[in-house]
Amino acid sequence: MTPRRTQAERSDTTTSQLIGAARTLFGAYGYAATSIDAVAATAGVTKGAAYHHFDGKPGLFRAAFTREQEEIAGRLEQVAATTPDPWAALRLGCRTFLERCLDPGFRRIVLLDAPSVLGWAEVREIQYAHTLRVLLTGLRAAIGVPEEDEPGVDATAIRAQLMFGALCEAGMLLARSPDPAAALPALAMEAERLLTAFRTG
């Protein structure tokens, strides 16, 4: 006999279904063209359940964006763990991020829609908890600096933001390329050159 699930377990399942459906639809059609009714139907739950778990469509989008950030951050940490050399880990991480940008759904949610739907302040807050956190940690390890280079100044955090901004712009270039996969090596090489400038500067 299968044990009955608790209310919390059922709630977690519904939340997961809604986030999964939101990622699929927001990634395929964009925020503006996706309704909360469509997300609920795809998740196999009622519209009321969607509103019970999330504060409308913006809340669903935030959850989808956050999940994308969690997953790419986890992937970057896995990649970093494969090499003891911090600079090699950073190079590999940059390429991994760009490879993820080859996915149209990821690009639409993370690069295209998030800034306008959530605003830059909230986007950066979520990124700092996930992707930017991993990049900053990697840069600190590679450069060999503490949390702040000197009182009130965190040059490494600035470098991390510049690097991340460059990677996001590279992701957009991939989106506009007629052959994104073919364009990836050149963009990855440019990312390496930027890292080299950080290393020598």
Side-chain angles (χ1 to χ4, degrees):
M1 181 176 176
T2 304
R4 294 183 61 184
R5 294 186 301 166
T6 65
Q7 178 61 36
E9 289 171 335
R10 290 193 297 273
S11 179
D12 287 346
T13 298
T14 300
T15 299
S16 181
Q17 290 171 332
L18 284 164
I19 294 174
R23 289 173 71 189
T24 297
L25 296 180
F26 288 139
Y29 306 109
Y31 179 82
T34 300
S35 68
I36 195 166
D37 302 74
V39 173
T42 301
V45 302
T46 65
K47 182 178 178 180
Y51 277 107
H52 174 74
H53 289 276
F54 296 97
D55 182 19
K57 194 165 78 163
L60 267 171
F61 183 86
R62 187 185 193 282
F65 174 73
T66 301
R67 186 63 56 85
E68 293 285 359
Q69 290 293 310
E70 290 170 346
E71 290 192 1
I72 187 61
R75 177 61 184 146
L76 293 176
E77 288 174 327
Q78 290 174 348
V79 165
T82 64
T83 174
D85 176 62
W87 284 108
L90 276 171
R91 290 194 299 271
L92 191 55
C94 288
R95 186 178 183 91
T96 299
F97 181 85
L98 291 175
E99 288 172 349
R100 187 72 183 99
C101 288
L102 291 174
D103 179 77
F106 178 84
R107 288 198 309 265
R108 182 177 287 275
I109 292 172
V110 173
L111 304 180
L112 292 174
D113 284 352
S116 60
V117 175
L118 302 176
W120 274 113
E122 189 167 9
V123 165
R124 274 293 184 258
E125 180 183 350
I126 297 169
Q127 288 171 337
Y128 264 120
H130 303 290
T131 318
L132 259 171
R133 171 186 54 79
V134 176
L135 179 57
L136 179 55
T137 298
L139 272 174
R140 291 199 195 287
I143 296 173
V145 296
E147 290 193 4
E148 287 192 352
D149 301 318
E150 58 184 86
V153 176
D154 192 346
T156 308
I158 294 171
R159 290 173 177 174
Q161 289 188 60
L162 290 171
M163 189 72 228
F164 190 66
L167 289 171
C168 290
E169 285 299 317
M172 296 300 292
L173 288 173
L174 286 174
R176 293 193 291 269
S177 172
D179 189 349
L184 177 62
L187 289 169
M189 180 68 70
E190 292 304 317
E192 286 195 21
R193 288 177 179 168
L194 184 54
L195 282 175
T196 299
F198 288 159
R199 185 174 192 176
T200 58

